[in-house]
Amino acid sequence: STFFALLCVLAHLRFAGLLARGHAASARRWYFASLAMLLLAMLSKAIVVVLPAALLALDAYPLRRLSLHPREWLRDPSRRTLLEKIPHALLAATFAYIILNIQQTLIEPLRAHDPIARLAQAAYGLAYYPRASVWPVHLLPIYELPMPVSWKQPAFAMSMVAVVLALGAIAALSRRAPALAVACVWSAYRDRGGN
């Protein structure tokens, strides 16, 4: 899935570059190539459904095709950028629907956990992979979730604190370093299983 996801990103970058230079006909081919690569990536691993959000983050920064101010999104050129992502979003939504239906039958449903436990689980996933990248010990091909899932467990509590602190730092630095926010969106996409 990483191979096709990266090809999707590269095709999107090529599309944006050609469009910016006024080569609409050539850009169209790369647009459809990015859609095809997104489909192949999702067929490889379903978690790639979040890739359209990463493409929008790239459009905001560094491509500057999408305004950083949401109130500008209904005006051109931001509106065109959002409209061109509709096929990507529809493709992702279709796969997300399929995934949710499969998960309800194959794995323990989310209803089995209260909302705080679900937040703790999400924070654990977001904090685990950066830690594993910095301190790569006890790596396994399958990572089972520690049980029970509770914010009171040290692994989950520390993960929640780490994510809140990281979000605060990103928000504080977002104006001076917009690339940091984009990198974190991409990292969150990768860390939640997009690899």
Side-chain angles (χ1 to χ4, degrees), residues 99-123:
I99 294 163
L100 289 174
N101 283 326
I102 291 170
Q103 285 181 340
Q104 288 180 3
T105 59
L106 295 180
I107 61 176
E108 184 179 14
L110 286 174
R111 293 183 303 273
H113 302 289
D114 63 70
I116 299 296
R118 285 185 246 165
L119 282 174
Q121 181 180 357

Side-chain angles (χ1 to χ4, degrees), residues 5-192:
L6 288 176
L7 286 178
C8 175
V9 171
L10 289 173
H12 177 71
L13 293 173
R14 184 78 169 146
F15 159 74
L18 287 167
L19 201 61
R21 291 193 299 274
H23 303 296
S26 298
R28 196 173 303 117
R29 288 194 297 270
W30 287 101
Y31 176 80
F32 288 114
S34 78
L35 273 173
M37 293 303 108
L38 176 63
L39 174 63
L40 292 172
M42 287 190 291
L43 287 170
S44 301
K45 191 170 185 181
I47 196 66
V48 182
V49 296
V50 298
L51 185 54
L55 295 179
L56 276 175
L58 286 171
D59 282 331
Y61 188 86
L63 297 177
R64 299 195 188 278
R65 301 180 67 235
L66 180 66
S67 173
L68 296 175
H69 306 289
R71 64 180 171 269
E72 300 288 324
W73 290 354
L74 296 179
R75 299 184 188 144
D76 280 335
S78 291
R79 181 177 56 201
R80 280 188 308 238
T81 300
L82 289 174
L83 289 174
E84 75 192 21
K85 294 298 179 301
I86 290 175
H88 293 80
L90 290 174
L91 192 57
T94 302
F95 271 80
Y97 177 78
I98 293 167
I99 294 163
L100 289 174
N101 283 326
I102 291 170
Q103 285 181 340
Q104 288 180 3
T105 59
L106 295 180
I107 61 176
E108 184 179 14
L110 286 174
R111 293 183 303 273
H113 302 289
D114 63 70
I116 299 296
R118 285 185 246 165
L119 282 174
Q121 181 180 357
Y124 180 83
L126 287 170
Y128 176 82
Y129 290 101
R131 186 216 40 91
S133 296
V134 173
W135 188 255
V137 296
H138 306 296
L139 301 179
L140 302 168
I142 297 175
Y143 297 104
E144 293 185 25
L145 189 63
M147 294 307 248
V149 177
S150 169
W151 66 271
K152 296 175 186 174
Q153 297 292 326
F156 291 105
M158 290 188 315
S159 296
M160 290 176 78
V161 169
V163 169
V164 168
L165 290 175
L167 287 173
I170 293 163
L173 296 171
S174 64
R175 288 195 184 268
R176 287 193 323 221
L180 177 64
V182 172
C184 289
V185 168
W186 183 257
S187 178
Y189 153 71
R190 302 293 303 149
D191 295 342
R192 293 301 291 162

